Amino acid sequence: MSGNQTFTIIKPIAVKNNFTGPILKMINEAGFKIKAMKFTHLTKQQAMEFYSVHAGKYFYEELTSFMSSGPIVAAILEKDNAVADYRKLIGATDPAKAEEGTIRKLYAESMSHNAVHGSDSDENAAIESDFFFSKMERY
Ligand code: ADP
Ligand code: MG
């Protein structure tokens, strides 16, 4: 059975470009409820830990430098079938391949600067949510 929560990050470039509001609007209009949210700034070390699954890949250094380059918005989202539905809403990793109307199609600049993160499984949604939020920060 699929779970009802996923985890997202509005990445530094999208925050910098003032896309936080439009992206949160799309999230709400797609039926997701915000269970936790914070405006924060990862250190390089924290970005490396968050993306440790990609350690060793050729884009790991660029990815973790970028993700620690400015403030981000992290959030836990709730909806039936949350992980799959949110991946659908954000679109493909490469914005050139993202479907029309998806968050990445609208707001991404490139593969590395692709506006948002979305968990790829229920298990990773839980791990990623725990990375950012304590129990007391969830409502
Ligand atoms: P997704 O974010 O769609 O789950 P991945 O988990 O594969 O994608 O990759 C994590 C992030 O790393 C991507 O969102 C993107 O910012 C970056 N990334 C992935 N592949 C590449 C690549 N080939 N070149 C540059 N950046 C990449
Ligand atoms: Mg991923």
Side-chain angles (χ1 to χ4, degrees):
M1 202 188 89
S2 58
N4 66 349
Q5 288 196 353
T6 190
F7 171 80
T8 189
I9 294 175
I10 302 176
K11 297 187 179 185
I13 189 71
V15 169
K16 194 173 169 202
N17 286 335
N18 291 325
F19 294 148
T20 300
I23 290 170
L24 290 176
K25 184 167 189 269
M26 287 181 72
I27 288 170
N28 283 147
E29 285 177 352
F32 292 90
K33 284 206 169 126
I34 293 167
K35 302 299 287 180
M37 185 159 69
K38 67 173 66 165
F39 189 50
T40 186
H41 189 154
L42 293 173
T43 63
K44 170 81 166 162
Q45 201 58 42
Q46 288 169 329
M48 287 171 70
E49 195 183 332
F50 182 80
Y51 279 112
S52 60
V53 63
H54 296 299
K57 292 187 186 161
Y58 74 93
F59 59 84
Y60 183 61
E61 172 55 34
E62 187 201 348
L63 173 64
T64 54
S65 293
F66 165 60
M67 289 303 291
S68 56
S69 68
I72 58 170
V73 175
I76 300 173
L77 307 177
E78 190 170 274
K79 181 185 184 298
D80 287 348
N81 202 32
V83 166
D85 284 3
Y86 191 62
R87 294 292 303 200
K88 208 170 195 181
L89 179 67
I90 70 178
T93 309
D94 180 356
K97 296 181 185 144
E99 276 186 51
E100 290 297 330
T102 59
I103 291 175
R104 283 171 166 168
K105 182 71 178 183
L106 288 164
Y107 299 116
E109 290 189 345
S110 64
M111 183 89 149
S112 52
H113 291 190
N114 61 359
V116 288
H117 168 81
S119 304
D120 62 7
S121 65
D122 290 343
E123 190 192 2
N124 284 333
I127 292 168
E128 293 167 2
S129 297
D130 290 347
F131 186 89
F132 279 87
F133 298 102
S134 69
K135 277 185 188 161
M136 273 187 68
E137 295 172 303
R138 304 172 194 213
Y139 303 98

